[in-house]
Amino acid sequence: MLIMITAITCKNRDYSNPVDPSVTIAAPTSLTVTTTTESNVTLNWTTLSSNPDYPNAPIIILIDRSTDGGATWLLGVDSVGANITTKAVVGVYQVGVTYSFRVRAKSVNNISAPSNIVPASFVFNAPSGLTVSITETSATLVWVNNSPFATGFLIDRSTDGGATWLLGVDSVGANITTKAVVGVYQVGVTYSF
C-alpha cells in the first residue's frame, strides 16, 4: 500500500512523493548453538538495539523449534526480552533427533521475519578404554566416561563372544569409572563386558 498526500488550492493540486507505510522489524541475525545437552540447547544471536522511542521497537524475542528440518515449526517455545541475546531452551532432547531453531523479534503489533535456522543434536558418547582384570570371584572393570551427562552406567556380560548378553549384571552411579563385578568366574571361559 502506498500513501500520498495531496495539497489542494482553488486552482491547483500538488502531490507528495509516494510513501510505503508498512512497518518492519529487523530480524535477529547470526543465530548459533553454543551447547547442547539432554535437557537444554543454548542459543546466541544478534539483535538491533531496542530503542523505546521507536514506535515499532522489539519488546521480546520469540524462539521457534522444529524436529522435521523446518517443514513445520512449534512457534514461541520460549522467549526473552529484546535486549537479551542468549537463551538456554529447556526441553527433553533425544539422541538421534536433529532439532532446528530460529528466533524472531516481536513488537507490540508486529513480528519480524525469522533469523537464520540452526540445527542442534544431542550426542551421548559411550564409555571407552574398558579394561578388565578377572579373579575367580570378581571381574574389575575400569573405563573412561566420555559423556558429562551420564547419570550412571549399566554393566552387561557375555560368555559367548558377544552373541548374547546378560544385561544389567551390575551398575554404578554418575562419575564412577570402576566396578568390581562379583561372581564365579571359571577357568577356560571367556567373559566379555
Side-chain angles (χ1 to χ4, degrees):
M1 167 169 56
L2 295 177
I3 296 177
M4 292 191 321
I5 298 176
T6 306
I8 302 173
T9 64
C10 294
K11 297 182 182 181
N12 297 314
R13 287 182 177 222
D14 193 14
Y15 299 94
S16 70
N17 293 330
V19 176
D20 184 352
S22 59
V23 179
T24 59
I25 303 172
T29 60
S30 305
L31 179 63
T32 60
V33 173
T34 57
T35 58
T36 304
T37 71
E38 63 186 350
S39 61
N40 71 66
V41 173
T42 303
L43 304 172
N44 285 320
W45 60 87
T46 302
T47 58
L48 294 177
S49 139
S50 181
N51 179 354
D53 296 328
Y54 176 60
N56 205 35
I59 56 172
I60 63 172
I61 300 296
L62 300 171
I63 301 169
D64 304 333
R65 182 177 60 216
S66 174
T67 56
D68 59 9
T72 60
W73 290 93
L74 184 55
L75 302 177
V77 296
D78 212 333
S79 63
V80 294
N83 291 323
I84 297 172
T85 58
T86 188
K87 175 66 177 168
V89 183
V90 176
V92 177
Y93 298 101
Q94 299 176 356
V95 173
V97 177
T98 299
Y99 300 88
S100 298
F101 290 89
R102 68 183 188 186
V103 293
R104 298 172 294 140
K106 182 181 183 318
S107 69
V108 173
N109 297 313
N110 295 293
I111 298 176
S112 75
S115 68
N116 57 302
I117 297 170
V118 293
S121 299
F122 174 64
V123 178
F124 194 77
N125 296 315
S128 64
L130 177 64
T131 60
V132 180
S133 58
I134 295 181
T135 67
E136 291 179 352
T137 58
S138 73
T140 301
L141 286 63
V142 178
W143 61 90
V144 175
N145 176 5
N146 294 314
S147 179
F149 315 112
T151 58
F153 298 92
L154 298 174
I155 299 170
D156 303 332
R157 182 176 59 212
S158 174
T159 56
D160 59 8
T164 59
W165 289 90
L166 182 57
L167 303 178
V169 295
D170 216 328
S171 64
V172 296
N175 301 317
I176 298 173
T177 57
T178 185
K179 176 65 178 175
V181 181
V182 177
V184 176
Y185 296 95
Q186 299 175 359
V187 174
V189 177
T190 300
Y191 297 91
S192 301
F193 291 89

